Amino acid sequence: MSFGADWYAVGLSEGLEAGTSAGARLFDQEIVVWRDTDGVTHAWEDRCPHRGMRLSFGFVRGNHITCLYHGWQYDAAGQCRLIPAHPELKVPDTIRTTAYPCRERFGMVWVYSDLAAAAPSDLPPEVPQVTPVRSIYIDRTATAVVAFLTAADLPPFPAATAARPTLAGSGSLLSLSFGGDALLAAVQPVGRAKTALHLAMSGRPQDWRGAGQKDVARWAQELRHALEQQAPYDGAPVAQALHDQIPQEQTRQEITP
Amino acid sequence: MSGLTLHDYELDDACYKVRLLLGALDLNYAKVAVDVHPGREQLSPKYLKLNPLGSLPILVDGEVLLHGAEAILAYLAQAHDPNKAWLPREPAGFGAVMMWLGFAGGELRSASLARMHHMLEVDADAAALDRQSRQAFRVMDDHMTQREFDGRAWFAAEHPTIADIALFPAIALSRDFGIDHDEYPALRRWMRRVRAIPGFVTMPGIPSYH
């Protein structure tokens, strides 16, 4: 399995409360993911256009995100609306952040990794009943994580008393099915030797809320432990080609408060 | 009425633990600024008389003289918390708080040292401290992930305790030594709750969200 321009989960929906932001990395690109007070999620390049400060260090007030550095405020469309050092200034339209396509599905926040793509293909269709579990970060490449899920002796899954779960995958979303239920595992290639798995259970919520979530979360810790016991995977860096394609340059403005 | 004196260094995360609890308990106290950097005043004969370990914080409360953040937190909770909530008396809660206090003064010390190394050029094995700090934060995030499934918001009880106070500075300041919060979503949510504790105070590196 290789990873290219695609949709990737960067966190669980439930974990991103309204009016808060979080930093995320995808192929080593820094992204700020935030939810406005209307509940809409946004994913932007994690740079204030002014001085390059990470916006995820700032804070969300109303439907604006405010840079910690000089308080520049950006609206939900990424347009800078206020420069506190020049409160009278009508901020030029050119001062805006760069947004990634962003969706919510399967109880997760998804980001399309390629800023140059005009019309990304859509995510797989929603499933009706999803219980979020947790995000877990593993110090191994995404390739190694997927190879382990596919081939290795997985820690015994809490609910799968009988047969080994069957694995299916589409893009960065893997599904481990057993009986009628499935563990959804979304793979986020964070950086060269770091991968996040965002985990949710499809099935009746009453079967998975509470004790079920705790069991699956502990299973994920065992999985992380087993993977990190392995020698680091020494294959090609994950999607290095894609990483090199993503534009690196900043568009910083020359206005200085 | 309070005769509390804290010998304090503004950039020291251990001193910050004490300032956090003093704020949460709404206690008046005198703050004596110690010239740790560059003066190394905490190692002067005057300060070694107060604390032979040559470290801060040091608390004086009348006849009581204490050093070490965790001991001071426990003392303040015992002596100055009329609601007896910050250090639960009930055995299971008390045990959980003591366990996390031990962790805060033990494993989590790597994070304090990593920060001192980055900020004040204190000599250290930076790679080892980074690894140990990440391991400690992971233990904390795994714990709070499980707590959230039980509908619990705090490390050791149904309400904030001195365990939460003792654990907060290391992760809240982790960007000072190059560790982002991205990998610790449960800690990100918990830190937000800590910031909302009445009487919460900031320090350099922990901004007030104005």
Side-chain angles (χ1 to χ4, degrees):
Chain A
M1 186 171 197
S2 66
F3 299 93
D6 203 348
W7 290 98
Y8 293 96
V10 294
L12 297 182
S13 289
E14 198 176 70
L16 186 66
E17 297 156 321
T20 68
S21 65
R25 279 193 300 140
L26 184 58
F27 300 109
D28 273 329
Q29 300 293 299
E30 290 174 341
I31 299 171
V32 54
V33 185
W34 64 286
R35 189 185 297 283
D36 65 33
T37 44
D38 294 330
V40 180
T41 52
H42 309 270
W44 297 349
E45 202 172 37
D46 196 6
R47 295 276 152 238
C48 179
H50 176 218
R51 291 285 178 188
M53 178 69 174
R54 292 187 69 177
L55 288 167
S56 57
F57 288 16
F59 49 96
V60 180
R61 282 288 175 276
N63 283 344
H64 290 73
I65 193 162
T66 302
C67 181
L68 191 62
Y69 212 0
H70 299 105
W72 290 28
Q73 284 185 16
Y74 300 87
D75 68 14
Q79 171 65 45
C80 184
R81 291 294 177 194
L82 177 71
I83 296 175
H86 301 277
E88 308 301 320
L89 179 74
K90 160 88 174 68
V91 182
D93 291 345
T94 50
I95 302 181
R96 53 185 308 118
T97 60
T98 306
Y100 287 83
C102 183
R103 305 254 191 290
E104 290 190 76
R105 201 161 291 182
F106 318 117
M108 304 168 189
V109 179
W110 294 78
V111 170
Y112 194 77
S113 63
D114 188 354
L115 278 171
S121 58
D122 204 4
L123 280 158
E126 184 67 287
V127 295
Q129 293 185 309
V130 170
T131 302
V133 179
R134 71 168 294 179
S135 301
I136 193 155
Y137 292 77
I138 302 166
D139 291 336
R140 288 292 180 271
T141 63
T143 310
V145 171
V146 173
F148 191 83
L149 285 169
T150 312
D153 292 326
L154 286 173
F157 194 74
T161 47
R164 175 188 168 79
T166 50
L167 186 93
S170 146
S172 63
L173 181 65
L174 303 173
S175 171
L176 286 80
S177 303
F178 45 90
D181 293 353
L183 170 70
L184 304 175
V187 182
Q188 175 191 354
V190 174
R192 240 146 264 182
K194 178 88 72 184
T195 303
L197 280 181
H198 306 284
L199 303 173
M201 295 302 310
S202 85
R204 299 190 315 162
Q206 57 267 43
D207 293 340
W208 290 108
R209 282 267 167 200
Q213 286 172 306
K214 293 173 80 167
D215 287 345
V216 177
R218 285 212 188 86
W219 174 85
Q221 287 174 222
E222 287 175 38
L223 175 77
R224 177 183 65 194
H225 179 76
L227 258 158
E228 293 183 352
Q229 294 298 109
Q230 290 189 328
Y233 179 79
D234 60 357
V238 174
Q240 184 59 43
L242 173 77
H243 174 242
D244 291 343
Q245 281 167 18
I246 296 174
Q248 304 282 329
E249 73 274 11
Q250 302 297 329
T251 47
R252 291 194 190 149
Q253 306 297 321
E254 291 306 315
I255 294 173
T256 307
Chain B
M1 143 266 140
S2 175
L4 290 168
T5 300
L6 175 66
H7 295 267
D8 178 72
Y9 180 52
E10 184 70 12
L11 296 180
D12 184 333
D13 63 350
C15 293
Y16 179 48
K17 296 175 187 178
V18 178
R19 298 197 301 270
L20 275 172
L21 185 62
L22 288 165
L25 291 172
D26 196 22
L27 293 172
N28 292 317
Y29 65 102
K31 191 157 67 176
V32 179
V34 181
D35 178 17
V36 169
H37 188 81
R40 296 165 65 85
E41 190 186 0
Q42 79 280 14
L43 298 171
S44 66
K46 174 190 154 196
Y47 268 99
L48 288 175
K49 251 186 255 171
L50 294 177
N51 175 10
L53 301 182
S55 63
L56 296 175
I58 298 167
L59 183 84
V60 183
D61 186 11
E63 297 298 305
V64 176
L65 168 64
L66 292 169
H67 57 79
E70 282 70 32
I72 293 171
L73 293 179
Y75 168 78
L76 286 172
Q78 188 86 337
H80 294 285
D81 173 15
N83 300 321
K84 309 293 180 202
W86 287 94
L87 179 57
R89 302 301 193 269
E90 156 276 315
F94 179 84
V97 169
M98 296 312 287
M99 184 178 77
W100 285 109
L101 285 189
F103 176 89
E107 287 82 352
L108 206 49
R109 178 112 184 93
S110 292
S112 303
L113 294 172
R115 185 167 159 276
M116 287 296 107
H117 174 72
H118 274 255
M119 293 184 70
L120 305 181
E121 296 168 349
V122 172
D123 190 36
D125 179 347
L129 290 179
D130 181 78
R131 196 169 58 245
Q132 292 156 5
S133 302
R134 289 175 192 274
Q135 181 57 33
F137 294 152
R138 191 184 255 190
V139 167
M140 290 166 63
D141 189 63
D142 286 348
H143 177 73
M144 283 313 296
T145 300
Q146 291 286 325
R147 297 281 290 172
E148 286 185 337
F149 292 137
D150 287 329
R152 298 200 162 93
W154 306 98
F155 265 82
E158 303 296 325
H159 49 79
T161 66
I162 56 174
D164 299 283
I165 298 287
L167 295 167
F168 176 79
I171 180 71
L173 292 163
S174 70
R175 287 151 171 173
D176 283 351
F177 49 99
I179 300 182
D180 279 335
H181 296 159
D182 308 11
E183 290 183 34
Y184 315 108
L187 295 183
R188 184 171 51 76
R189 293 186 289 274
W190 165 76
M191 282 190 281
R192 201 160 158 254
R193 297 191 280 271
V194 173
R195 298 184 70 108
I197 293 173
F200 178 85
V201 294
T202 60
M203 72 167 273
I206 299 184
S208 67
Y209 289 165
H210 37 79

